[in-house]
Amino acid sequence: MEDCIFCKIISSNSIYKIYEDNWTVAFLDIAKDVDGHILVVPKKHVKNIMDCDTDTLCKVMDAVKRISNHLIDCCAYEGVNLLNASGESAGQSVPHLHIHLIPRKKKDGIDAWPTFAGAKYELETILERIKM
């Protein structure tokens, strides 16, 4: 897609690429919020997880798993956080599916888990609304 920043990044050579296969690319996030912050994206333009076909999503998650294992096995990290926002209301700022991969160590001081205000409804009420 012409206007997509991630599609432009994928086709350029000016990224800090750490992994690539036939379906995905992973590169360091230039925002530099956290050391080792990686974005994993499909090469195929897909807006978000709801628009993604199963094969592409599986390829993205396979890349996430490979990179996560590499970070643990070869780079002295101890865990990872995976973050994804799908849809503008969820905070998605770039309309191209991407998974944030945050490498973690014990006591690294990173708080990657959001603080929630608490549920408003009983679990039974929510279950009836969203059960498939």
Side-chain angles (χ1 to χ4, degrees), residues 67-130:
I67 296 163
S68 297
N69 285 333
H70 171 75
L71 292 169
I72 304 302
D73 297 341
C74 303
C75 303
Y77 287 102
E78 300 167 317
V80 297
N81 283 114
L82 305 179
L83 307 170
N84 170 261
S86 285
E88 193 174 325
S89 66
Q92 184 177 9
S93 58
V94 178
H96 187 120
L97 174 64
H98 56 288
I99 307 292
H100 295 260
L101 198 158
I102 312 294
R104 300 297 303 273
K105 291 185 179 184
K106 290 179 185 163
K107 299 182 182 179
D108 60 14
I110 299 168
D111 185 6
W113 200 258
T115 302
F116 298 106
K120 296 177 184 175
Y121 303 100
E122 294 298 321
L123 294 178
E124 293 82 8
T125 303
I126 300 300
L127 177 64
E128 288 303 315
R129 283 191 198 163
I130 65 175

Side-chain angles (χ1 to χ4, degrees), residues 55-67:
D55 288 339
T56 301
L57 186 57
C58 286
K59 299 296 186 186
V60 168
M61 293 312 295
D62 181 62
V64 166
K65 183 179 186 316
R66 287 175 187 267
I67 296 163

Side-chain angles (χ1 to χ4, degrees), residues 4-107:
C4 175
I5 187 65
F6 283 174
C7 287
K8 290 175 184 176
I9 288 171
I10 290 165
S11 65
S12 79
N13 289 324
S14 62
I15 62 173
Y16 297 96
K17 189 183 320 178
I18 64 143
Y19 177 82
E20 181 175 18
D21 60 29
N22 291 333
W23 305 276
T24 64
V25 177
F27 51 91
L28 294 176
D29 188 332
I30 62 169
K32 299 190 293 185
D33 295 326
V34 175
D35 289 333
H37 182 172
I38 299 164
L39 298 173
V40 182
V41 302
K43 289 182 176 178
K44 171 183 176 180
H45 182 79
V46 181
K47 184 176 180 181
N48 58 41
I49 201 165
M50 286 83 70
D51 293 339
C52 192
D53 61 274
T54 302
D55 288 339
T56 301
L57 186 57
C58 286
K59 299 296 186 186
V60 168
M61 293 312 295
D62 181 62
V64 166
K65 183 179 186 316
R66 287 175 187 267
I67 296 163
S68 297
N69 285 333
H70 171 75
L71 292 169
I72 304 302
D73 297 341
C74 303
C75 303
Y77 287 102
E78 300 167 317
V80 297
N81 283 114
L82 305 179
L83 307 170
N84 170 261
S86 285
E88 193 174 325
S89 66
Q92 184 177 9
S93 58
V94 178
H96 187 120
L97 174 64
H98 56 288
I99 307 292
H100 295 260
L101 198 158
I102 312 294
R104 300 297 303 273
K105 291 185 179 184
K106 290 179 185 163
K107 299 182 182 179

